[in-house]
Structure formats: C-alpha cells, structure tokens
Amino acid sequence: MPLMTLQNVDYSVGGPLLLENVALTIDAGERIALIGRNGAGKSTLMRLLAGEIHPDGGEVRREGGVRVARLEQEVPSDAGGDVWDVVAGGLGDLGKWLAKYHHIIHADHVDTDALAKVQAKIEDANGWSLDQRVTETLDRLGLDGDALFSSLSGGLKRRVLLARALVSAPDLLLLDEPTNHLDIEAIDWLENFLKGWQGALLFVTHDRRFLRSLATRIVEIDRGQVTSWPGDWANYERRREERLNAEAQENARFDKMLAQEEVWIRQGIKARRTRDEGRVRRLKAMRVERMQRRDLTGNVKMALAQGEASGRKVVEAKGVSFGHGERQLITDLSTTIFRGDRIGLIGPNGSGKTTLIKLLLGELKPDAGEIQLGSNIQVAYFDQYRATLREDWNALENVAEGREFVEVGGKSKHVIGYLQDFLFTPERARAPITRLSGGERNRLLLAKLFAQPSNLLVMDEPTNDLDVETLELLEEMLGDYPGTLLLVSHDRDFLDNVVTSTLVMEGEGRVGEYVGGYTDWLRQRPVAPVSAPGKPVLAPATPVAAAPAAAPKRKLSYKETRELEQLPLRIETLENKLAELTAQMNEPSFFQRDAAAINAHNALLAQTQLELDGAYARWSELDA
C-alpha cells in the first residue's frame, strides 16, 4: 500500500533544478536506500517527504493518517535537558506537557497546582498512553531517561534522537547518515534493530555493508533525476553501469551528429543559398538540447604529496601502559610498526583509540614502558572533528596557507586547479567555509592533508559524509600509498579493503593485534568484544545466532580446479552477452518489434543474468 507519492516534483535552490520532475512512490514495509553524490539533493528530498519544505512544482501526496519522522544528519543545537525531555519532544506540544509532568512528579517538592493543570491538559489530549510509550521507547533502546543529553557521547546522542523519531510510531522513518559517529558495536545494534522495524524506512548512508544488509530497493538522485532500482546493491551497480554506458554512447552519437551539422552550416556561399531551412531549425534545436544537457559529475582526483622514505622501523612499543585516573586504557602493549604497514584501529567510542595514536606518535608519554620512533618520520593527520580547518578562512586559504602552488605527485599545481580535482569550483573554493556541507568539508580536509609531504598518514574517521564514489577512490589511493598508514574507522568494508592488520581495543586495557581487516578479526577473535568501561552493552533488537566455526579449507579436486580456472572466462562471456542484450534494448527500434519477440528477449536477458549470478556464486564458493 502506498504511504507517500511524489508526482512531477521540482525543487531549486538557484541554478539548475536540484530535483526535476521527480516521480516516486514509497510503499509500506519497504527499506529504501537513497544514494547520490554529495550535494545531489538527498537531504532535500528527505525534507520534502517530511513536509519541512514544499516543492516549487508538482505534488507531495501523503495518504491520510500516515506519520513521518526524520532523524537528522547533525545533532540539533536546540536539543537540551534530560533524555526523557528530548525523546518526549518527538510528540510535539503534548510531549512538552508530558516532560513537564515528568519533572514535577520527580521534584523534591511537588507543586500540586501546576501538577493539576498539566494533568488536565494531558487528559484532554488523551495523552497518558503516550507517556507510557516514551518509557517503553527508552527501555527498548537501553537509554537512561534521567541522564543529561549534553553529557552523552556522540553515539549515545544519535541513539536518543533515534528514540525521539520512533516515539511517534511513524509509518515512514527517514534516517540521514544514521551511522555517523557510531562505533561498530552500535552500528551492528542499529542494523539488527532496523531489520526488525515494521514500518517503512528510507535512509542515506555511506556505510556500504549497512546498506547491503538493509536495502530492499535503491533510489538514486543523479543530476536532478530520481530513478528507482529494485533489488540489492549488487544489482544496482550492474544496472547503473549498463545505463551509463548506454548514455555515453547516445551522447557520443548526438555530439557527432551536431558536429556534422555545424560543419554543414559553415559551408561556402553556394551551400548557404540552397540550404534546407528545416535542417537549420533542427540544428538550432540540437544546440539548445546540448546546452541543457547535465553531464555526469566528475570523480575526485586524488594524489598524495609523498615525503622522503622513513626508516624501515617506524614505531616500536615495549610494555606500554597508560590510564586516566583509575581507568586503565592500555596495559602492557608491545608492537612494532614497519614502513608500509597499513594498520586499522578498532574499538568502541571512548575506548582509547585516539589516545593510542597519540602515544604511538610520541605526543603522550606512557605511564610505563617505552615508545621509540623511527628515523625521518613525516606525519600527516586527518582529524575527524576537522579542527585543523580554520573557520575564518575559505577553502582556498585553508589549503594554500599563503602559497600559490602545491607539490603533489612530483608535480607543481596551482591551488585552484588542485581544488578542482576535489570537485571545488573556483567560486566554491572562495566561499566561506561555514557554507560548506559535511561532505565538502571532508573533501577539503583530504585536499589539505594530501598537499602535505608525508610518509606516515594518520586518518581518524575519514569516511564520514563521503559519497560511495569518493570512498572507493580513497580506498584505491590508500592501497597504493607507499608510506605507513594508521586508520581509525567504524566502516567495516573500508577496513577490509584498506588495512593489512588491526589493533583492537578489547577492554580493561587489553589491545589485541590481528592480521587482516575487520572480517579477519571477527574470524580470529577468541571471544566477543568487550565494551569500553562505563558503556552499556547493546543488546541486539532481534536474536542473532552465533556464527559457526569456520570449516577448515579442503583441497579442490582436479575437476573443481579446472572449473575454477574456466569460470573467469565464462563470467566474462556472460557479462558481454548481458551487455549486448541490454544495448539492444536501448536501441530505438527495439520496442517496434512484436510482443512475442520482446518477451523472448526479456526472458533471455533474465536467464543470462541468472546464469551470471550462479557463475559468480560458484566462483566465490570454489575460491574460498
């Protein structure tokens, strides 16, 4: 059953339409992942669905009685008081009266007159059942209603705001980057909770594993157009690549025809006397069409300013211990980091990951033990709080720091050209930094970081607010980085794709060292991870079966070995066949065929896709 429908919706913030002629239907029970480049209009679309803004044209139709709640990307500056107050605020004015009643009855001296007035207002609105709902929501999410909101960590604040969105029992829940500033344990909890959520869900996330686990449909915003892709993330990636290839071929064909017409119109005097006026009009229409085309946004071009090679041994720690007061963060840690190592740091928020980095860099002295830094170390530091960006400078000034050129990849580049590689137009580069979005600030911090010569790269949560394309490019660049990398991240796929070993904060001062990324750690860890002291253990929303012990690898038979060798060629053949069938569907003459031929083509396309999926599955099975 449709909950909300957008019909021919337009929305602009100046310049080309941010959203153009959008048609979208959201059904009950769906879990929709909303994707698109930074600045494409994802948050704007959410605000339209929430009714916070209104379209310039078209209609946003909400079925009668449908409730919508939105979890914003940033913590609201006006959120204050205790947790109970913040959560009850999700019920509007009635929530304020419930919060007031809550405070009166918990005061040392109860004001009976004020209590009577508040009770009367709640009774008039039939609000007592909602008072119970607030309490149940707090219990469900493991929150202390009496705790001060301002005293909570970033991850707990996000959980309180989720409770505030849920307390109104929405039919449609809108989540904008819900995993930002959450640690892996909290992300796992949220993932399980949302799998058990009965309402419809539309969410924006940069966490690809979170997306793959939850999404039943992908909705993409690209150059103002909104398209829907049924199925999972892998299906979307294949179909999108096919669509972009078809679009590129069509644009090339159009541009070739336009160039030919431009040559014709500029021919000699004889041709101009006898030219076809209809052809001239078509040329003018083609010029207008080309001018209105919105080309695909380019990708970030990343390159690192490499420093001189460091010594082979970068950091050596022997018997290191460190604590704050009675709390022991690190106990008896011994490890050696060599040039070229890519090390991921994993652990709950507040477990001491940043402290460990400062110890390894020599910025803090250990309480016990010894840390030795290698020779010729040049450090570049990515700070998750973006504290290295000066708010009184624009993007250009933050990167240039008084210079006109920067040295990157052994080449000198003008700062404006360098920033264009990170998708900053000259106008955007000179705009005040306060006007930049979260994704733009992260790209700016990457630009600033990569302009510094380094051989030891330290990155603390670099993935927040970045779109998927930029994330994949960052992964590729870090994989080719010749220096040493220390990476703090809660993005499980990012860790798997980048690091070669992990240091895990296991609680009570223990720091475990494991080979491989996040998935390798899951396989090797002796017990479930321990939460940071003082942090509540998050129970999953639905029971989760324990992972079975990994079966020992067996040797492939001769027949299986031959099959594995032949599978890449079969996969390539099927992919080529699929691309050919798809290209035929994109031809204008395709739908001029009779219905039987079209149905046969579609059946062949579906069968080829099925065979390709089976070949990939078999390849994964044999390769493992």
Side-chain angles (χ1 to χ4, degrees):
M1 181 188 75
L3 299 177
M4 294 195 71
T5 304
L6 278 66
Q7 292 183 330
N8 305 320
V9 167
D10 292 336
Y11 190 85
S12 174
V13 291
L17 287 171
L18 189 62
L19 299 172
E20 183 176 0
N21 200 29
V22 173
L24 178 67
T25 299
I26 299 175
D27 293 325
E30 283 195 292
R31 296 199 300 263
I32 301 172
L34 180 62
I35 65 170
R37 302 298 295 267
N38 291 137
K42 300 186 294 294
S43 296
T44 300
L45 181 59
M46 282 194 163
R47 293 178 66 199
L48 284 166
L49 291 169
E52 297 171 12
I53 56 176
H54 300 286
D56 299 333
E59 180 184 5
V60 178
R61 182 185 303 164
R62 182 184 300 186
E63 298 302 319
V66 169
R67 294 182 297 273
V68 180
R70 184 168 80 96
L71 174 65
E72 300 176 29
Q73 189 171 349
E74 302 293 339
V75 176
S77 57
D78 59 347
D82 60 31
V83 169
W84 213 98
D85 294 343
V86 175
V87 174
L91 297 172
D93 290 337
L94 178 58
K96 295 177 183 177
W97 290 116
L98 289 172
K100 189 171 183 180
Y101 168 81
H102 180 77
H103 282 289
I104 292 173
I105 63 173
H106 285 87
D108 293 334
H109 301 286
V110 177
D111 186 336
T112 54
D113 291 338
L115 181 62
K117 291 178 182 178
V118 172
Q119 284 177 322
K121 289 183 177 292
I122 295 173
E123 287 170 0
D124 290 343
N126 297 317
W128 291 117
S129 62
L130 298 183
D131 178 77
Q132 180 63 25
R133 190 190 294 173
V134 174
T135 303
E136 289 174 354
T137 304
L138 290 172
D139 291 342
R140 191 179 180 190
L141 273 69
L143 296 168
D144 178 7
D146 295 326
L148 277 177
F149 182 76
S150 59
S151 67
L152 302 179
S153 66
L156 278 177
K157 284 181 178 178
R158 299 285 289 174
R159 196 140 50 105
V160 172
L161 293 175
L162 176 62
R164 176 175 174 165
L166 292 174
V167 77
S168 63
D171 301 291
L172 173 60
L173 182 61
L174 308 174
L175 303 179
D176 197 350
E177 292 288 3
T179 63
N180 267 8
H181 310 297
L182 296 184
D183 55 37
I184 290 176
E185 185 183 3
I187 293 171
D188 283 337
W189 173 87
L190 179 62
E191 197 174 291
N192 284 320
F193 176 84
L194 292 175
K195 282 180 180 178
W197 169 250
Q198 298 301 311
L201 174 67
L202 186 142
F203 64 97
V204 174
T205 184
H206 66 269
D207 189 318
R208 289 157 292 177
R209 187 169 299 194
F210 184 84
L211 186 156
R212 288 198 303 269
S213 175
L214 284 176
T216 58
R217 176 157 65 115
I218 310 292
V219 170
E220 179 192 37
I221 304 179
D222 181 22
R223 292 164 284 174
Q225 303 297 310
V226 173
T227 51
S228 179
W229 307 80
D232 59 13
W233 175 255
N235 177 67
Y236 157 75
E237 286 192 305
R238 286 196 297 268
R239 294 287 183 259
R240 182 176 186 270
E241 193 65 32
E242 292 164 4
R243 186 199 69 181
L244 290 178
N245 285 336
E247 180 183 324
Q249 291 172 11
E250 176 59 26
N251 286 343
R253 185 194 65 79
F254 178 90
D255 291 344
K256 182 178 180 180
M257 187 182 299
L258 177 60
Q260 290 171 345
E261 295 299 293
E262 292 288 3
V263 169
W264 170 78
I265 199 70
R266 289 173 175 78
Q267 284 179 344
I269 187 69
K270 182 178 179 181
R272 288 200 299 272
R273 285 176 180 166
T274 59
R275 67 186 178 187
D276 181 351
E277 290 302 322
R279 191 173 177 182
V280 173
R281 287 193 295 270
R282 284 196 299 271
L283 173 58
K284 290 179 179 178
M286 290 177 71
R287 287 173 174 171
V288 171
E289 182 179 345
R290 179 62 185 90
M291 188 167 40
Q292 292 177 344
R293 183 197 298 171
R294 296 170 70 172
D295 291 321
L296 188 68
T297 304
N299 283 325
V300 172
K301 300 174 185 176
M302 295 185 183
L304 268 166
Q306 297 174 12
E308 300 176 8
S310 66
R312 182 173 179 273
K313 188 181 293 183
V314 178
V315 181
E316 184 175 16
K318 298 178 181 178
V320 170
S321 296
F322 186 86
H324 288 301
E326 297 181 357
R327 183 182 173 195
Q328 194 69 19
L329 294 175
I330 298 164
T331 302
D332 196 25
L333 169 65
S334 295
T335 187
T336 303
I337 299 173
F338 293 99
R339 182 179 64 232
D341 285 349
R342 298 196 297 275
I343 299 174
L345 275 71
I346 299 175
N349 288 334
S351 60
K353 299 186 295 296
T354 302
T355 299
L356 176 55
I357 283 179
K358 290 182 178 179
L359 284 166
L360 294 175
L361 296 181
E363 296 178 10
L364 288 176
K365 290 186 177 180
D367 297 335
E370 179 184 9
I371 292 179
Q372 293 181 344
L373 290 175
S375 60
N376 197 30
I377 303 296
Q378 293 176 281
V379 180
Y381 199 119
F382 182 101
D383 171 28
Q384 65 165 315
Y385 300 108
R386 307 171 186 137
T388 54
L389 296 178
R390 284 189 53 169
E391 296 287 328
D392 57 332
W393 284 2
N394 58 29
L396 179 63
E397 292 166 335
N398 266 285
V399 172
E401 296 181 339
R403 298 170 294 176
E404 192 173 351
F405 293 88
V406 292
E407 289 283 339
V408 180
K411 297 179 181 179
S412 180
K413 296 195 72 169
H414 194 277
V415 178
I416 288 289
Y418 176 64
L419 281 171
Q420 285 178 323
D421 288 345
F422 287 81
L423 308 185
F424 287 94
T425 63
E427 295 77 17
R428 202 66 178 160
R430 295 185 175 92
I433 195 174
T434 51
R435 295 185 185 175
L436 301 183
S437 67
E440 286 175 318
R441 287 193 176 214
N442 254 23
R443 288 207 309 270
L444 177 60
L445 194 52
L446 289 173
K448 179 180 175 69
L449 181 76
F450 296 163
Q452 303 172 22
S454 70
N455 51 36
L456 175 56
L457 191 58
V458 182
M459 307 193 81
D460 193 353
E461 284 295 339
T463 64
N464 286 345
D465 303 314
L466 294 180
D467 54 50
V468 172
E469 289 86 353
T470 305
L471 267 180
E472 291 173 347
L473 286 168
L474 181 58
E475 285 176 353
E476 184 178 339
M477 191 211 66
L478 293 177
D480 295 334
Y481 181 54
T484 307
L485 173 68
L486 294 178
L487 171 68
V488 177
S489 180
H490 301 307
D491 188 320
R492 295 158 290 180
D493 275 10
F494 194 77
L495 286 166
D496 277 346
N497 294 337
V498 171
V499 304
T500 55
S501 62
T502 53
L503 294 174
V504 183
M505 315 302 290
E506 297 178 330
E508 300 179 358
R510 297 190 304 272
V511 181
E513 189 168 4
Y514 300 87
V515 174
Y518 171 78
T519 303
D520 298 304
W521 165 62
L522 288 182
R523 190 165 51 247
Q524 298 173 66
R525 64 180 181 177
V527 293
V530 180
S531 294
K535 176 174 178 174
V537 177
L538 302 178
T542 54
V544 180
K553 289 189 176 182
R554 65 176 179 84
K555 187 174 181 180
L556 296 179
S557 67
Y558 174 77
K559 183 179 178 182
E560 288 172 328
T561 303
R562 290 285 298 157
E563 184 183 1
L564 180 60
E565 290 173 352
Q566 293 169 3
L567 273 171
L569 179 60
R570 173 166 171 74
I571 288 172
E572 183 180 358
T573 302
L574 287 170
E575 285 180 336
N576 290 338
K577 183 178 179 181
L578 193 66
E580 182 181 344
L581 291 170
T582 304
Q584 291 173 12
M585 291 183 67
N586 291 324
E587 293 175 0
S589 60
F590 177 78
F591 292 99
Q592 296 173 6
R593 304 179 186 180
D594 59 70
I598 293 175
N599 290 336
H601 188 98
N602 287 335
L604 181 58
L605 183 70
Q607 179 62 30
T608 306
Q609 181 65 65
L610 191 64
E611 291 177 12
L612 180 61
D613 291 341
Y616 270 119
R618 182 61 174 161
W619 181 82
S620 298
E621 179 185 349
L622 293 176
D623 189 56

